[in-house]
Amino acid sequence: MSNKTGSIVGDSPVPGAQSSFLTEISDSASTVTDVVDRLRGLGTLYEDEGESQFTSPLPPRPPSETGSEFDTDLEDEPETKTEYDSSGIDLYLKICEGMTMRPVSQFMRQTKNPYLSLKYQSLGCKNTVAITRALASNTHVERLDLSDADIGCDGMISVANMLTENYFITDLNLKDNKIGDSGVTSLCRVLSDHSYVKRLNLSGNGLGNGAANLVSEMLQQNYTLSSLNLCNNHISCVGAKALASALVGNDTLSDVDLSSNRISRKGSESLGKMVAVNSGLLSLNLRSNGLDTAGANSFIKAIKQNGTLLNLDITNTRFPGKLSKELAKSLTVNETLKILRLGRNPFREEELEVLVASLAACQSSGLHIIGLEDLSVSKRLYERLQEFERDSGVVIHYGHSGGYQRGNPMSGQALFLEEFIITNLSKLVPLFVARSGDTVTVSQFKEVLLEAEIPLSEVDVQKLLDRFNFPEGIVPVRKLLKGKIAVNLMEYKK
């Protein structure tokens, strides 16, 4: 193969020209890549046999598949999209691995259910921290049951922190967790600003007056909570006064349970004065506290003035039987109260007769159920009560401690359902009427309970229906809403 004999355009021979070009290029280029690119952009022009041709110092690079002048050895990797874990399971497993602890299977099975129950799980602080961190990003759980789960005070702090990020949990059950007053501090701080939790159960946590003060401060800022359970704690008069003061101006809270605390005369007086002016409460439970005469008088006045309360339970509160006549007068004025429980109080038979006679003389009372549980009933009083029930439509529960005893005409399950309907009457009646009012199918009954936004999940509603096993799938609404309830239903329908 013959060598080309020519000269580059200019005075320099070919090798020298190429060398000078390389030197010049390498001096001006900052990287090897720049050198390569400059060389490809330049060529060597030879004159050979009257023809000129252009040759590049380096062979051309093959074009890339993308059509770009430049190519790399890196291949395009497909973009991977990570799906958002709405259950929090992935995060929970990572946390458990980092904390070297075994995941709680009961939690993992329920993270996509609206109702998550971890009661009796003995979680302890570490498990509670891991679970609540995962729940912070969970969008499925609406009801969280941590009752008797041994979360303790430190676990309560992690629950409170979780609530600052989770906007889906509306029902929180923290019953029997030994939280104490210090554990409630963080929870109340969050609930003062957190507007999503509607139902809160703090029963059986050893809460005293300090916790009651914290809760009362929270209630003055929170206008979302509709149900509060503080039963079986250590709240006394000081705490009761603080709660009463907060409830005076709160018309959002509709259900309060203070049963089995240490509230006596002065505390019950304050609560009675609160009921007289409160316009939001539908149910108040003071069972197993101490009213005495002063507290009883306060509630007698409250019954006369209140126009919204549906259910009042003052069972076993030392309500004096000598005030039965004054109580009856207040009840004849009140057309709103549907359920009044007075059982296990020191009523003599003649005092019960006065109460019944006063109510029978005036048909304006709105009562549907009177609870006289564990009170002795003689045969003569029994016949008088039967006559009163027949004429008024009021159901009376009594007769379990001696004397003449009789079984209630309705089964325990039917009484439970009737009381449930009465308590939620204002929500249920219009919905039943819209579906004819007399009888509805089980599916329609289920729709009504869910549509009324009563604090029952779909699972709870189904359990309620399973308890009764209505024949042929038909719910006898008129039979359930017997007596005055049925009359009110028909009047509403007209």
Side-chain angles (χ1 to χ4, degrees):
M1 184 175 181
S2 61
N3 295 329
K4 293 183 184 288
T5 59
S7 60
I8 191 168
V9 177
D11 297 330
S12 300
V14 173
Q18 291 180 349
S19 177
S20 64
F21 288 154
L22 291 172
T23 304
E24 179 184 351
I25 291 169
S26 62
D27 290 342
S28 62
S30 59
T31 64
V32 175
T33 303
D34 291 338
V35 173
V36 173
D37 292 341
R38 292 286 299 275
L39 286 173
R40 286 203 178 92
L42 298 174
T44 308
L45 185 62
Y46 291 93
E47 293 178 352
D48 185 16
E49 298 177 356
E51 296 180 4
S52 65
Q53 58 182 359
F54 186 82
T55 60
S56 174
L58 294 177
R61 180 180 294 175
S64 66
E65 295 181 0
T66 60
S68 174
E69 182 182 357
F70 306 106
D71 194 13
T72 64
D73 294 334
L74 298 176
E75 296 183 358
D76 293 335
E77 297 182 358
E79 295 183 5
T80 57
K81 295 182 179 179
T82 57
E83 294 186 1
Y84 175 70
D85 180 20
S86 59
S87 67
I89 282 291
D90 294 341
L91 176 60
Y92 176 65
L93 292 175
K94 289 179 181 178
I95 294 172
C96 288
E97 183 179 357
M99 299 176 71
T100 62
M101 65 182 188
R102 187 175 180 180
V104 178
S105 59
Q106 186 77 2
F107 170 69
M108 297 180 64
R109 285 196 298 266
Q110 302 180 75
T111 52
K112 291 190 176 180
N113 298 339
Y115 174 52
L116 194 157
S117 175
L118 294 173
K119 57 184 177 181
Y120 315 132
Q121 288 298 306
S122 299
L123 297 177
C125 183
K126 280 183 70 174
N127 277 313
T128 304
V129 169
I131 287 171
T132 51
R133 284 178 62 186
L135 283 175
S137 59
N138 184 288
T139 62
H140 300 277
V141 177
E142 299 172 5
R143 299 178 58 214
L144 177 59
D145 189 348
L146 294 173
S147 56
D148 201 7
D150 193 28
I151 68 173
C153 177
D154 293 334
M156 184 66 255
I157 295 174
S158 65
V159 171
N161 291 335
M162 176 268 294
L163 291 176
T164 62
E165 300 182 45
N166 185 298
Y167 302 143
F168 296 89
I169 294 176
T170 59
D171 188 323
L172 183 59
N173 188 345
L174 298 168
K175 175 183 177 183
D176 296 332
N177 271 294
K178 303 176 183 177
I179 294 171
D181 289 6
S182 55
V184 175
T185 304
S186 55
L187 178 64
C188 288
R189 186 183 301 116
V190 171
L191 292 181
S192 296
D193 302 320
H194 188 72
S195 58
Y196 299 95
V197 175
K198 296 181 179 179
R199 292 171 290 277
L200 177 63
N201 189 339
L202 291 172
S203 62
N205 277 292
L207 307 182
N209 293 327
N213 286 325
L214 292 170
V215 171
S216 63
E217 292 174 5
M218 177 268 292
L219 290 176
Q220 295 178 45
Q221 302 177 57
N222 182 299
Y223 292 96
T224 303
L225 202 64
S226 62
S227 177
L228 176 62
N229 191 336
L230 292 170
C231 80
N232 194 26
N233 281 298
H234 304 151
I235 301 172
S236 63
C237 294
V238 175
K241 286 181 179 180
L243 291 170
S245 177
L247 290 172
V248 166
N250 187 311
D251 58 359
T252 308
L253 203 57
S254 60
D255 182 7
V256 176
D257 190 343
L258 292 170
S259 60
S260 300
N261 274 284
R262 300 173 181 178
I263 303 171
S264 57
R265 182 176 61 85
K266 291 183 179 180
S268 59
E269 276 187 277
S270 299
L271 290 170
K273 292 176 181 178
M274 177 273 297
V275 170
V277 298
N278 180 279
S279 59
L281 271 182
L282 300 179
S283 178
L284 177 62
N285 190 345
L286 289 175
R287 176 187 291 257
S288 299
N289 283 288
L291 296 184
D292 294 324
T293 302
N297 276 318
S298 179
F299 271 93
I300 288 173
K301 293 177 182 177
I303 290 172
K304 187 181 296 184
Q305 298 177 41
N306 183 281
T308 55
L309 194 66
L310 297 175
N311 186 357
L312 177 61
D313 190 342
I314 48 177
T315 302
N316 191 29
T317 55
R318 299 196 297 275
F319 189 100
K322 63 183 180 181
L323 297 177
S324 58
K325 189 171 183 179
E326 288 76 7
L327 175 61
K329 289 179 181 179
S330 293
L331 291 173
T332 56
V333 174
N334 187 307
E335 298 181 2
T336 309
L337 191 65
K338 308 301 179 186
I339 304 173
L340 176 63
R341 297 199 172 280
L342 295 165
R344 300 181 186 176
N345 281 307
F347 281 93
R348 296 195 299 269
E349 186 165 311
E350 55 269 24
E351 292 166 342
L352 290 176
E353 288 185 2
V354 169
L355 176 63
V356 172
S358 300
L359 291 174
C362 180
Q363 296 294 322
S364 61
S365 172
L367 279 176
H368 296 155
I369 296 177
I370 300 177
L372 302 175
E373 294 89 344
D374 291 338
L375 293 179
S376 181
V377 178
S378 67
K379 184 176 181 179
R380 182 174 62 83
L381 180 57
Y382 166 70
E383 293 173 351
R384 182 71 186 90
L385 292 173
Q386 274 194 320
E387 181 184 355
F388 173 68
E389 285 183 306
R390 184 173 58 252
D391 294 341
S392 65
V394 176
V395 176
I396 301 179
H397 305 163
Y398 56 85
H400 298 284
S401 64
Y404 187 84
Q405 297 189 14
R406 63 108 187 205
N408 284 310
M410 301 173 67
S411 68
Q413 291 181 342
L415 286 171
F416 170 80
L417 183 58
E418 184 185 24
E419 291 178 21
F420 176 83
I421 291 175
I422 290 172
T423 305
N424 299 280
L425 191 64
S426 60
K427 295 181 179 179
L428 292 175
V429 167
L431 299 174
F432 279 129
V433 169
R435 292 166 172 78
S436 83
D438 295 335
T439 60
V440 295
T441 64
V442 169
S443 61
Q444 287 176 326
F445 188 77
K446 186 175 180 180
E447 289 174 4
V448 167
L449 296 182
L450 294 174
E451 189 177 340
E453 296 183 352
I454 294 167
L456 289 176
S457 69
E458 191 169 352
V459 175
D460 292 332
V461 172
Q462 189 58 53
K463 287 181 179 179
L464 178 65
L465 294 173
D466 291 342
R467 288 177 60 181
F468 296 94
N469 190 25
F470 294 111
E472 301 178 0
I474 300 297
V475 180
V477 176
R478 177 183 289 275
K479 186 176 180 180
L480 289 173
L481 304 179
K482 58 182 291 186
K484 286 190 174 183
I485 310 176
V487 173
N488 290 344
L489 181 63
M490 296 311 296
E491 287 178 353
Y492 187 97
K493 190 174 181 180
K494 293 177 182 178

